[in-house]
Amino acid sequence: MRKPTRNTPLAARAVAVTVSAAALLTTALTGVAAAGADPDHGHGRGERVLELETHPTSHFQTPPGTSRAGTLIGGVGGLTRFVDGGEEDYGFDRWQCLYLEVTADNARRVMQCDATLDTPDGEITLQGAWTELGGPPPESRDAVTGGTGAYEGATGYAVYTLLNPEDPANARYHISVHLDAARKP
């Protein structure tokens, strides 16, 4: 299990990338290595799957204070890629989410999020809506909406799995990025 080297508070990503947010990327970041994960395995569906983990390093919220509709949150974190039972630094996760709906008691928050996975091989862009019910969702999916470099024209989806539900202010996620075979770099 890998521990992040820096851990600056990151609002619970009301998950996207990607977010004190659950409505967007209900996905996410840190420490459990996907044993034996190969970036080119496709789970039998003719796709390429990247196994990543996010490590939050910075976060913002505008306006500051209690989240409400119209609040924008975002952040940056490091990425780790898991390959053949090992791991390597693999760029950064940059994300932002806009709260669209927040109940008066803050128990339900809906947001629209986008994220960019900035890797040495190019960028992968993600987008999705996240719904948070009392905290970040345990799992969320975003659409792969494009990319650059080796990921130019990428399509597919990403599954975010929350790794530390006990610490929503520093949400970390495991991200499985499923890239369609037609666009395999």
Side-chain angles (χ1 to χ4, degrees):
M1 181 178 287
R2 178 177 182 184
K3 301 232 184 235
T5 55
R6 294 186 287 177
N7 196 7
T8 302
L10 191 200
R13 194 168 172 174
V15 136
V17 96
T18 9
V19 130
S20 179
L24 150 70
L25 298 171
T26 301
T27 52
L29 315 165
T30 199
V32 173
D38 176 348
D40 293 315
H41 76 294
H43 298 286
R45 293 187 294 274
E47 63 187 11
R48 178 177 185 196
V49 180
L50 296 174
E51 300 293 344
L52 307 171
E53 181 182 294
T54 62
H55 306 282
T57 57
S58 67
H59 176 265
F60 72 86
Q61 179 172 327
T62 305
T66 303
S67 299
R68 60 183 183 270
T71 298
L72 180 66
I73 62 171
V76 175
L79 285 174
T80 298
R81 178 172 74 163
F82 300 101
V83 184
D84 296 326
E87 58 185 63
E88 64 186 2
D89 289 338
Y90 198 60
F92 300 92
D93 171 37
R94 295 176 171 90
W95 58 271
Q96 65 180 11
C97 297
L98 178 66
Y99 284 102
L100 304 174
E101 176 188 336
V102 179
T103 59
D105 63 0
N106 222 18
R108 181 175 188 272
R109 300 186 292 188
V110 177
M111 62 187 105
Q112 179 66 40
C113 302
D114 61 75
T116 300
L117 306 178
D118 186 0
T119 79
D121 299 319
E123 296 178 348
I124 301 170
T125 56
L126 306 169
Q127 183 176 18
W130 291 47
T131 299
E132 197 172 65
L133 302 172
E139 185 173 287
S140 186
R141 288 182 181 231
D142 283 354
V144 173
T145 58
T148 64
Y151 305 110
E152 185 173 344
T155 59
Y157 65 97
V159 178
Y160 286 78
T161 304
L162 182 63
L163 296 173
N164 61 333
E166 73 287 351
D167 188 10
N170 296 295
R172 299 182 328 249
Y173 294 87
H174 180 89
I175 307 172
S176 294
V177 182
H178 298 255
L179 301 170
D180 292 336
R183 295 292 185 184
K184 183 177 178 180

